[in-house]
Amino acid sequence: MLKQRIITALVLLGLLIPAFFHSDPLWIAFAGMVLISAASWEWGRLNQLGQFSSTAMGLCCAVMCALVWWFQLLHYFDRIFWLCVGCLWVLVGGVLLHGGVYRWSSIALPLRWMGGLMFLWCTWVALMVSKNFSIEFLMSVLLLVWMADVAAYFSGKAFGRHKLAPGISPGKTWEGVGGAMMGVFLLAFIWLRAAHYWEWSSQSLFEKLVRHGWVVFGLGLVFLVMMSVVGDLLESLVKRSAGVKDSSQLLPGHGGILDRVDALLPTLPLAVMLALI
């Protein structure tokens, strides 16, 4: 299993890293569209759609992304749009996690399909807006999510005692959340110190936040880490409702696309929101 996970990870990195750093944004637009469309297909399957209908959902998401790219609509997604997306994520996340699996199961299926499709599409738009900001901004958000995930895993394994959401994801603990916070703050300070030491004028998320003062910097990081946890828990809730362990088997050894990007779904749009405030 470990060998399979490593091989899958290396293949993905080999495909995605050139797209992320290529000067032509078409590469990352296409790579992101493929991933988000596959995640949309998984979303349909998790919410009682058959193979044909799930595939149609994935194609619909791809078309929505392609239309934004083809008609060059990215500049229309302004501060107000991202504030609305951010408020929706906070509201929907809070309501669903409070209600648990029972509340999720009581929501009408068409609303689940459309809601998931729109949030996934917004993540692709946020990916492209982040790339337009700078590659440093995009990479700093991705590193924030990955650091939070890794630090939460190891701190939860070592010190986890108090369950975070036992009815949704029994393995997650408050100690893991604390470890995620510490890991992200360490990452941010190392990034800022390195940029200062080498006089590197990057446009990362961390620099955009710290320009508003250390209080905003701290609160912004705490908010993003908490919302990455919300994204993780929401996917766990949907999988528990569907009675499955993984969103799919598209990534051998890793499960599905949603299993890998769940924490990024709220964090990337919310990082764009904070950068524009």
Side-chain angles (χ1 to χ4, degrees):
M1 178 63 76
L2 179 59
K3 180 180 178 181
Q4 192 178 50
R5 288 174 66 90
I6 293 173
I7 292 174
T8 301
L10 290 176
V11 170
L12 276 175
L13 289 173
L15 293 173
L16 292 178
I17 289 178
F20 275 42
F21 287 94
H22 200 283
S23 58
D24 187 349
L26 175 62
W27 289 79
I28 191 172
F30 180 73
M33 183 182 71
V34 170
L35 290 176
I36 290 298
S37 299
S40 299
W41 171 77
E42 293 177 346
W43 182 261
R45 293 175 73 249
L46 288 173
N47 289 280
Q48 301 181 34
L49 282 180
Q51 183 66 27
F52 177 81
S53 298
S54 297
T55 302
M57 178 173 283
L59 290 174
C60 181
C61 186
V63 169
M64 292 167 65
C65 296
L67 288 175
V68 172
W69 177 261
W70 183 262
F71 291 104
Q72 301 181 8
L73 302 177
L74 284 175
H75 63 280
Y76 287 104
F77 298 94
D78 57 6
R79 180 185 304 176
I80 301 300
F81 174 82
W82 293 112
L83 278 171
C84 292
V85 172
C87 289
L88 274 175
W89 260 115
V90 172
L91 178 63
V92 171
V95 169
L96 291 180
L97 291 181
H98 182 265
V101 175
Y102 174 76
R103 174 164 289 175
W104 175 253
S105 301
S106 68
I107 297 174
L109 285 172
L111 187 57
R112 288 196 240 169
W113 301 331
M114 293 306 300
L117 182 63
M118 293 307 297
F119 277 124
L120 286 164
W121 173 71
C122 284
T123 302
W124 180 86
V125 176
L127 173 72
M128 297 311 302
V129 172
S130 298
K131 173 67 172 177
N132 285 348
F133 283 161
S134 69
I135 187 59
E136 295 93 347
F137 181 89
L138 176 57
M139 293 309 299
S140 63
V141 178
L142 296 178
L143 286 173
L144 180 151
V145 172
W146 293 334
M147 173 60 84
D149 187 46
V150 171
Y153 175 80
F154 284 108
S155 57
K157 280 284 187 181
F159 309 109
R161 295 293 183 274
H162 303 88
K163 300 296 184 183
L164 176 62
I168 297 174
S169 184
K172 293 181 174 58
T173 63
W174 282 106
E175 289 81 5
V177 175
M181 296 284 185
M182 294 176 63
V184 166
F185 272 93
L186 178 62
L187 167 69
F189 280 119
I190 290 174
W191 184 299
L192 291 174
R193 291 302 300 167
H196 176 74
Y197 181 81
W198 279 292
E199 298 181 350
W200 171 35
S201 180
S202 75
Q203 296 295 316
S204 71
L205 168 68
F206 308 128
E207 274 130 338
K208 286 183 178 292
L209 289 177
V210 82
R211 286 173 192 156
H212 297 285
W214 289 104
V215 173
V216 172
F217 171 80
L219 291 176
L221 290 185
V222 169
F223 174 64
L224 290 175
V225 171
M226 291 303 298
M227 290 307 296
S228 75
V229 175
V230 168
D232 197 334
L233 287 174
L234 283 177
E235 201 235 353
S236 296
L237 182 152
V238 174
K239 289 191 297 185
R240 184 167 286 267
S241 175
V244 298
K245 180 182 178 183
D246 298 318
S247 59
S248 76
Q249 297 300 320
L250 287 177
L251 304 177
H254 291 266
I257 304 296
L258 284 173
D259 296 319
R260 301 276 65 84
V261 303
D262 50 7
L264 194 63
L265 297 181
T267 309
L268 194 53
L270 290 171
V272 172
M273 179 195 77
L274 291 178
L276 291 174
I277 292 178

